[in-house]
Amino acid sequence: MVDDISAEQVEKWLDDRVVRDVERTTENAAEFSVQCRLSHIPLNVIKEDTWGPLRIVGRAAFDTERTAAVIADPEQRYELLARIGPVFAATPGFYTFLDEEETSTEFPNVDSIQFEHRVYSDGASQQELMGGLMAIATAIKYVQNTVAAIRRREND
């Protein structure tokens, strides 16, 4: 058990065999923010205040022409939602559909999906941190692969 989790502790817990490009960033008024990549997926570990939880955050963005086309087509959009729905239930934490202004929205207006898992100090460990990072990266990769599969099928 850890009482106060520091940026240094987070960096020590990161498994450098799978986590790359570790960098501290400035995130608003947060105590610290550590940005990293796991399988080319950008993720953030944010601690907003001294005694607050670690927030593990990642986004699946629909920011390319190809991915935006899936969201624009009602049939493809609902196929995507049906296929990725189980990943929402299986990923620890919660998810939020965000619009272009990064405001919570309904799925038809989605620009990105934010996944967030919180790790509280009384349960903080390397296992909990890495498990959360890997779960969110897996969820994002699954969303990306599902979009690619839907687009590929439409182009065949």
Side-chain angles (χ1 to χ4, degrees):
M1 181 174 104
V2 177
D3 291 328
D4 177 28
I5 306 162
S6 66
E8 292 80 13
Q9 182 64 62
V10 167
E11 290 171 346
K12 285 180 189 174
W13 281 342
L14 295 174
D15 182 344
D16 62 5
R17 288 168 291 210
V18 292
V19 176
R20 302 277 187 251
D21 303 329
V22 177
E23 177 184 332
R24 287 192 207 178
T25 62
T26 305
E27 179 78 24
N28 300 328
E31 183 172 319
F32 67 81
S33 177
V34 176
Q35 186 174 32
C36 59
R37 289 186 177 276
L38 198 154
S39 186
H40 305 289
I41 306 286
L43 300 166
N44 288 291
V45 180
I46 303 163
K47 186 170 181 191
E48 293 175 337
D49 55 65
T50 303
W51 302 108
L54 295 176
R55 296 176 51 229
I56 303 169
V57 180
R59 285 194 184 167
F62 300 101
D63 57 354
T64 66
E65 190 174 304
R66 187 176 71 166
T67 58
V70 171
I71 297 300
D73 180 281
E75 186 176 313
Q76 290 182 9
R77 180 175 59 237
Y78 288 107
E79 177 185 352
L80 174 64
L81 184 58
R83 290 178 61 182
I84 65 176
V87 88
F88 298 145
T91 303
F94 61 96
Y95 65 92
T96 306
F97 298 133
L98 299 173
D99 62 17
E100 289 179 7
E101 286 83 39
E102 298 185 0
T103 303
S104 180
T105 190
E106 297 297 318
F107 191 71
N109 304 317
V110 71
D111 184 66
S112 64
I113 303 169
Q114 179 170 294
F115 292 90
E116 181 173 332
H117 176 60
R118 292 180 178 225
V119 176
Y120 294 88
S121 61
D122 62 347
S125 67
Q126 182 180 28
Q127 179 64 46
E128 187 66 25
L129 176 65
M130 288 304 301
L133 286 167
M134 290 178 153
I136 289 175
T138 299
I140 292 168
K141 186 64 88 174
Y142 184 83
V143 170
Q144 291 173 342
N145 290 342
T146 303
V147 168
I150 291 170
R151 290 301 303 156
R152 190 171 20 252
R153 189 194 69 227
E154 288 300 313
N155 291 332
D156 288 344

